[in-house]
């Protein structure tokens, strides 16, 4: 048997992140990041398991060269921190999970050796002493949470020396004792300033030179943050949005600028994208637009939330209906505006009832 590669990207700060932030959004953030790490696998490594905050990859009877492993590691770090930057720049949610996500870091542990395998429910998984050593190396004494670490066995196999340096990597020697056994390794702390992060689109703030087609206002018996969460959680949409049959969206994504969802109404698909606009300091805003409504050319809606107290807020919904042709403009003036406003108002009333009943149930449970 030849040597096999064990490769474990591990998200640093995961435990504290999950325990001290909103659970649902923290799960979404971690899921997104794990998907990013899996997609960044350029060496066709096999994914043995997702271990909470880490991925366990292997490559049977093959150890890529030093150049390929360093390139793979750089690619993974770049993808990870590029996505964190996207989450930071396009964030609309004020919760602790979304605001603290950019503090997460990444470490990569790599090892090699002869592997044994277990087959559990037709799934083949690496097994044995080399797997144990790779996991032990994750608990090391490196004074950083942002690094790449190659075991001495792997370093010798690929020809990595303890004085290897490049623009991104500056390897040092390290050692730790595990259950009386010494494990040597080489590690390099990663300076993120040396990563060429990928560019991404940021949504520009929409500016209108005309007043809204109509405005609706209503006070809600919940905090501003809770109302925003309800509005941006598309899983709730069909419960209060009037006339909506289904909402199609990415369930593992925290809603942010540029997020997309499809609203199905009478078997017609309306493609929405999240946008934003300027609001007063302290206000929260969620906006979305579609260019697929009939008979309009475009529809813009902005939910502007102002906190009134810890458990009360005010919602102002601004709606812009756009049409280019004189016939469509006439239709808006005569029919569409009134009908659409009525449906939207009914949806807001339903949302109010939904949150009021939810709040009442919570207060009853707390009183008990």
């Amino acid at each position: 048997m030849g040597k096999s590669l064990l490769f474990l990207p591990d998200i640093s700060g995961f435990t504290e992140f999950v325990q001290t932030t909103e659970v649902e959004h923290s799960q979404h953030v971690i899921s997104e990041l794990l998907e990013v790490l899996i997609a960044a696998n350029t060496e066709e490594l096999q994914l043995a398991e997702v271990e909470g905050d880490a991925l366990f990859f292997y490559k049977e009877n093959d150890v890529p060269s030093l150049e390929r492993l360093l390139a793979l590691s750089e690619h993974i770090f770049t993808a990870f921190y590029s996505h964190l930057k996207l989450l930071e720049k396009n964030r609309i949610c004020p919760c602790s999970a979304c605001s603290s996500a950019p503090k997460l870091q990444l470490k990569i542990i790599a090892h090699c050796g002869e592997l044994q395998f277990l087959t559990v429910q037709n799934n083949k998984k690496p097994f044995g002493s080399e797997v144990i050593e790779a996991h032990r190396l994750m608990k090391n004494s490196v004074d950083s949470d942002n690094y790449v670490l190659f075991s001495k066995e792997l370093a010798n196999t690929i020809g990595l020396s303890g004085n290897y340096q490049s623009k991104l990597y500056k390897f040092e020697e390290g050692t730790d004792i595990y259950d009386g056994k010494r494990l040597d390794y080489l590690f390099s702390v990663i300076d993120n300033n040396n990563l060429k992060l990928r560019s991404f689109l940021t949504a520009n703030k929409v500016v209108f030179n005309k007043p809204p087609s109509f405005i609706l206002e209503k006070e809600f018996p919940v905090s501003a943050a809770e109302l925003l969460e309800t509005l941006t959680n598309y899983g709730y949409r069909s419960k209060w949005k009037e006339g909506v049959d289904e909402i199609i969206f990415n369930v593992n994504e925290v809603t942010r600028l540029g997020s997309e969802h499809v609203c199905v109404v009478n078997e017609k698909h309306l493609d929405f994208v999240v946008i934003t606009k300027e609001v007063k300091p302290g206000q929260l805003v969620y906006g979305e637009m579609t260019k697929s409504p009939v008979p309009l050319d475009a529809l813009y809606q902005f939910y502007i939330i102002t906190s009134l107290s810890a458990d009360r807020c005010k919602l102002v919904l601004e709606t812009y209906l756009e049409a280019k042709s004189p016939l469509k403009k006439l239709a808006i003036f005569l029919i569409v505006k009134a009908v659409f406003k009525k449906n939207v108002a009914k949806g807001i009333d339903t949302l109010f009832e939904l949150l009021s009943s939810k709040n009442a149930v919570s207060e009853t449970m707390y009183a008990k």
Side-chain angles (χ1 to χ4, degrees), residues 20-247:
T20 60
T21 62
E22 284 76 1
V23 174
E24 186 174 2
H25 280 205
S26 65
Q27 291 174 338
H28 288 333
V29 169
I30 296 299
S31 293
E32 283 191 54
L33 289 170
L34 291 175
E35 291 286 356
V36 166
L37 296 178
I38 291 172
N41 170 20
T42 57
E43 283 293 332
E44 298 183 353
L45 308 183
Q46 298 297 310
L47 180 62
E49 199 165 0
V50 177
E51 301 177 341
D53 56 344
L55 299 173
F56 180 15
F57 287 112
Y58 70 95
K59 194 161 192 176
E60 188 176 0
N61 298 327
D62 185 17
V63 178
S65 66
L66 170 62
E67 292 75 15
R68 287 164 58 190
L69 281 178
L70 293 182
L72 171 62
S73 300
E74 180 175 358
H75 186 71
I76 289 176
F77 275 104
T78 300
F80 180 83
Y81 285 105
S82 294
H83 194 73
L84 284 185
K85 183 61 67 174
L86 181 150
L87 293 179
E88 178 184 7
K89 294 297 183 181
N90 285 359
R91 176 172 68 92
I92 60 174
C93 176
C95 82
S96 299
C98 293
S99 59
S100 63
K103 297 179 182 178
L104 293 170
Q105 295 181 287
L106 181 68
K107 53 192 177 187
I108 293 176
I109 309 299
H111 183 42
C112 72
E114 293 186 1
L115 293 184
Q116 298 170 297
F117 290 90
L118 285 176
T119 300
V120 180
Q121 294 184 342
N122 296 320
N123 292 321
K124 183 179 178 182
K125 295 185 178 182
F127 171 77
S129 59
E130 304 300 344
V131 174
I132 294 173
E133 288 192 0
H135 283 85
R136 283 174 172 169
L137 285 169
M138 298 178 75
K139 307 296 183 182
N140 55 67
S141 55
V142 175
D143 189 21
S144 173
D145 285 322
N146 201 60
Y147 60 86
V148 59
L149 182 153
F150 291 170
S151 69
K152 191 66 174 178
E153 178 70 21
L154 176 59
N156 291 338
T157 300
I158 62 178
L160 174 64
S161 65
N163 58 2
Y164 181 96
Q165 291 191 11
S166 65
K167 183 177 180 180
L168 181 62
Y169 300 106
K170 294 182 181 180
F171 279 93
E172 304 176 43
E173 295 183 349
T175 186
D176 283 297
I177 305 296
Y178 304 90
D179 297 330
K181 181 179 180 180
R182 171 174 171 162
L183 289 180
D184 297 321
Y185 53 82
L186 300 181
F187 71 93
S188 173
V189 175
I190 301 299
D191 183 350
N192 293 344
N193 293 321
N194 293 326
L195 294 171
K196 295 181 179 178
L197 300 186
R198 298 166 188 166
S199 60
F200 53 86
L201 295 176
T202 55
N204 295 323
K205 292 183 178 179
V206 180
V207 178
F208 295 92
N209 56 6
K210 61 179 181 180
S213 301
F214 62 86
I215 296 176
L216 296 173
E217 299 184 11
K218 198 172 190 69
E219 290 189 11
F220 283 78
V222 296
S223 68
E226 184 176 350
L227 179 56
L228 179 67
E229 165 61 18
T230 306
L231 291 169
T232 58
N233 188 332
Y234 301 131
Y236 292 130
R237 281 295 178 95
S238 59
K239 296 181 180 180
W240 62 270
K241 199 74 170 179
E242 187 67 18
V244 172
D245 301 321
E246 182 185 7
I247 300 290

Side-chain angles (χ1 to χ4, degrees), residues 213 295-296 321 323 326-339:
S213 301
L296 309 175
L321 307 175
L327 185 60
K328 289 183 178 180
K329 290 180 180 179
L330 181 62
I332 290 176
F333 180 76
L334 294 177
I335 303 173
V336 176
K337 180 178 176 179
V339 173

